[in-house]
Amino acid sequence: MLFRSAASLLNKNSVSEVFKHVSASLVGKLGFVDCIIYHFNPKTNALEGDPSFMRDVDSVDTGLTPLISIPLGVGITGNAALNRKIEWVPDTALDSRYIKDKKIINNQSGELVVDITQFANRRSEIAVPIINDNELLGVIDTGHPEPDFFEEIHKDILETFANLAGVKIRQLLVSETLVESESRTRSIIEYAHDAILTMDLSGTIMEANQQASELFGYEDLELVGMSFVNLLT
């Protein structure tokens, strides 16, 4: 059942849907107290996450994005990202990297938005980096108030979710890049001062701008599908 849930990640249509599905699956099916999925932002060199999936606290909605920001190398989660390896801590009380303060501050006003410290006191924690094509995409971070709670099976499941999430996120990012590229190309063609035609390998016109239509004396849609050779004869 759980691995079927992991596989269904591949059907999601956005990165946020992927993150929500992972968090909800791990909290709902494994009994984890919380699960935060962090997205790596290369511009800030930090992990950005939303603590919305916590079993013992209502969904936190502050209207701020991100709600939590962790620089690489800071805390257990930041170290998992920096070293690109799983951080499995049986007892956080014995690990000086554990971040105890879970207060979320509005970066603009400096005011306290929400304090989830009482709900996020983890005695055991696992942080699994999401990596695809040798690129850091994020981290799955989960914890439990009991020390030594996690077992090998938990680590294996988290790795499975991280691997599938990485594949899907990469697919979504590539798709977004292609859409943006096509949009820019279409805009250039549409607003160019010169006549522009795009053709396939057989010489069939696929797209024409207004200037091309005026040059050849056809409507835009009339040019589409015509042979360029025939157009010149």
Side-chain angles (χ1 to χ4, degrees):
M1 177 69 75
L2 191 60
F3 285 99
R4 187 180 306 138
S5 178
S8 67
L9 278 173
L10 301 178
N11 298 324
K12 302 307 175 184
N13 298 314
S14 69
V15 174
S16 62
E17 284 186 14
V18 171
F19 285 1
K20 289 180 179 178
H21 181 81
V22 171
S23 296
S25 295
L26 295 176
V27 171
K29 294 181 172 60
L30 285 181
F32 292 173
V33 171
D34 65 73
C35 182
I36 302 176
I37 314 298
Y38 292 90
H39 161 72
F40 175 60
N41 186 340
K43 294 181 179 179
T44 61
N45 204 38
L47 298 168
E48 300 173 348
D50 181 341
S52 296
F53 292 91
M54 305 188 69
R55 194 180 65 193
D56 298 324
V57 63
D58 291 337
S59 178
V60 179
D61 183 6
T62 64
L64 298 176
T65 304
L67 294 180
I68 295 179
S69 180
I70 300 178
L72 293 193
V74 175
I76 295 169
T77 307
N79 272 275
L82 178 65
N83 300 319
R84 299 192 177 197
K85 68 176 184 179
I86 296 174
E87 290 286 351
W88 182 354
V89 181
D91 191 345
T92 58
L94 304 178
D95 195 314
S96 61
R97 299 173 302 171
Y98 178 63
I99 301 175
K100 297 179 181 180
D101 186 6
K102 296 298 191 299
K103 295 179 181 179
I104 301 170
I105 306 298
N106 185 323
N107 291 331
Q108 295 179 343
S109 67
E111 297 178 352
L112 177 67
V113 176
V114 64
D115 186 348
I116 59 174
T117 302
Q118 60 177 314
F119 301 107
N121 283 329
R122 303 161 161 185
R123 284 295 301 275
S124 51
E125 182 172 355
I126 295 184
V128 181
I130 301 172
I131 298 173
N132 185 265
D133 196 21
N134 203 35
E135 181 181 352
L136 176 66
L137 301 174
V139 173
I140 300 176
D141 183 57
T142 186
H144 199 276
E146 299 177 12
D148 207 21
F149 171 80
F150 296 106
E151 301 176 1
E152 191 71 28
I153 184 63
H154 294 136
K155 182 180 75 69
D156 292 342
I157 291 172
L158 286 166
E159 282 189 285
T160 298
F161 271 92
N163 290 335
L164 289 174
V167 170
K168 185 58 183 182
I169 292 170
R170 168 67 60 193
Q171 182 186 79
L172 291 168
L173 292 177
V174 170
S175 178
E176 289 177 5
T177 300
L178 289 175
V179 170
E180 291 174 359
S181 177
E182 291 175 358
S183 178
R184 286 195 297 270
T185 300
R186 189 170 294 107
S187 179
I188 291 172
I189 292 174
E190 182 178 352
Y191 294 104
H193 296 296
D194 299 320
I196 296 178
L197 298 172
T198 63
M199 296 169 283
D200 62 15
L201 294 177
S202 67
T204 300
I205 297 172
M206 306 297 294
E207 191 172 5
N209 64 359
Q210 182 63 38
Q211 286 72 14
S213 299
E214 294 175 357
L215 176 65
F216 292 105
Y218 289 90
E219 294 294 329
D220 296 6
L221 295 179
E222 290 179 324
L223 284 172
V224 175
M226 291 181 61
S227 167
F228 182 67
V229 174
N230 294 338
L231 182 65
L232 297 179
T233 58

